[in-house]
């Protein structure tokens, strides 16, 4: 990819949500499931203050391409998290940039 300006990290103090533009195919799952949080007409387009963290995570887990990932701010919660396929730990822009995109079936979390 070579341009981590397309990678974004959003936080509400409880969770972090990561978005990688290159992986996004604009399936609009996030926008249709949680439009208060994910709104393309707003900048920034992600506002985690608009819903409960669990609801946001559920929507992130439904992203079909891995464009959206999450982590808990609390390391203990990350250790106990069962939705490992959508969990991005140790955020590093280079690692995030180099992770693979892929089509995952929804509800895999």
């Amino acid at each position: 990819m070579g341009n981590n300006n397309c990678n974004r990290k959003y936080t509400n103090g409880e969770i972090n949500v990561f978005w990688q533009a290159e992986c996004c195919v604009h399936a609009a799952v996030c926008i249709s499931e949680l439009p208060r949080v994910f709104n393309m007409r707003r900048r920034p387009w992600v506002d985690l203050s608009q819903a409960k963290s669990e609801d946001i995570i559920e929507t992130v887990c439904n992203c079909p391409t891995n464009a959206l990932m999450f982590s808990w701010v609390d390391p203990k919660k990350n250790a106990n998290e069962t939705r490992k396929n959508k969990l991005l730990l140790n955020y590093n822009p280079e690692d995030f940039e180099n992770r693979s995109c892929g089509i995952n079936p929804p509800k895999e979390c």
Side-chain angles (χ1 to χ4, degrees), residues 46-67:
V46 177
D47 182 355
L48 301 183
S49 72
Q50 298 300 310
K52 295 178 183 177
S53 294
E54 280 295 335
D55 293 338
I56 295 167
I57 291 170
E58 183 176 331
T59 297
V60 166
C61 286
N62 289 331
C63 176
T65 64
N66 286 337

Side-chain angles (χ1 to χ4, degrees), residues 49-96:
S49 72
Q50 298 300 310
K52 295 178 183 177
S53 294
E54 280 295 335
D55 293 338
I56 295 167
I57 291 170
E58 183 176 331
T59 297
V60 166
C61 286
N62 289 331
C63 176
T65 64
N66 286 337
L68 290 170
M69 303 282 282
F70 80 97
S71 69
W72 293 95
V73 172
D74 181 351
K76 291 178 186 175
K77 286 188 174 185
N78 284 325
N80 295 323
E81 182 57 59
T82 59
R83 298 162 286 204
K84 299 288 187 194
N85 64 313
K86 290 292 185 174
L87 191 63
L88 181 66
L89 300 175
N90 303 318
Y91 174 73
N92 176 331
E94 285 184 21
D95 293 341
F96 189 58

